[in-house]
Amino acid sequence: ETPRLAATHLDEGEAQVQHSVQQFADTELLSLIDEMEQSQSIHKKVLEGLFENGFMGIEVPSHFGGAGLSFVESCIVIKELARVDPAIAGMVDIQNTLIVTAIRKFANTEMQSRILPKLAKDAVGSFCLSESGSGSDAFAMKTTAEKIGEEYVINGEKCWISNAAEASIFLVFANANPSLGHRGITAFIVERENPGLKIGKRERKLGLNAVSNCQLFLEQCKVHKSQILGSEGQGYKIAISLLNEGRIGIAAQMVGLAIGALDHALPYVHQ
């Protein structure tokens, strides 16, 4: 019987991904960290590099323009970016473990063929769940989606939404049937051009300022029923499934951050 290898062991393909990310982080990202932190924005060169290297569509199938890799590679990319800049790693984590995964697992064929190529090419995604009154209990949300004919009209506010300023595709959770409690929660794809979607103030943070966390306002935001992810009332299960995977991505981000901190501390200790 072949002995089981340690979880830290990388096969040849995974090692190549790791090397590619390390090279990008050290040559393209490192020199721009201070500038991005001060300007509170991601540098155009960095964002373009993330897409050009396939880091924003790691698990997007190759026939949709993505890298066609696995969740393991996603975690490798997140970890190695976080070693240099955990802010950028956070953006990549949300893109891959939440938004891309949502479309891959829960969207129909038409939505996949329409959205996945955008996410792999140049579209940043944003996960819109939290509200001011429903942080730790996110499913006590007040945002509603009223069905009128072939459309849903979404009204509500979201808070602390990552990637909001940079995103063009928003995964919005709203309750389409409040009488059912969390069983009425539904997931919608809302694109930035929608006149009912407005980006609010950017939150001031102690760090991780290269990427945004913003308020999001949905005011008479009309969305066609074809923009539902999965089916009406499935939003609760979708969110739980995605967050379970996203938390592993956050763990990879923290491992990378710890490695980066150690890399900075050791030379000082030996002085």
Side-chain angles (χ1 to χ4, degrees), residues 39-64:
S39 67
Q40 297 190 26
S41 62
I42 185 170
H43 197 285
K44 180 181 178 181
K45 178 182 177 182
V46 171
L47 188 57
E48 289 176 348
L50 292 173
F51 280 106
E52 289 171 0
N53 284 278
F55 302 150
M56 296 293 271
I58 300 165
E59 293 182 76
V60 173
S62 56
H63 59 272
F64 287 133

Side-chain angles (χ1 to χ4, degrees), residues 102 106-108 111 186-187 225 227-235 238:
F106 301 105
N108 58 33
M111 183 180 284
T186 303
K225 66 180 183 180
Q227 293 294 87
I228 290 179
L229 186 66
S231 59
E232 183 179 313
Q234 198 180 358
I238 290 174

Side-chain angles (χ1 to χ4, degrees), residues 146-182:
E146 180 184 4
K147 187 175 183 181
I148 301 176
E150 297 289 293
E151 294 181 323
Y152 286 78
V153 181
I154 305 175
N155 284 285
E157 300 178 11
K158 300 292 183 179
C159 293
W160 315 296
I161 301 304
S162 300
N163 297 358
E166 301 84 10
S168 56
I169 295 173
F170 298 80
L171 177 54
V172 176
F173 292 86
N175 202 320
N177 192 341
S179 66
L180 296 177
H182 69 270

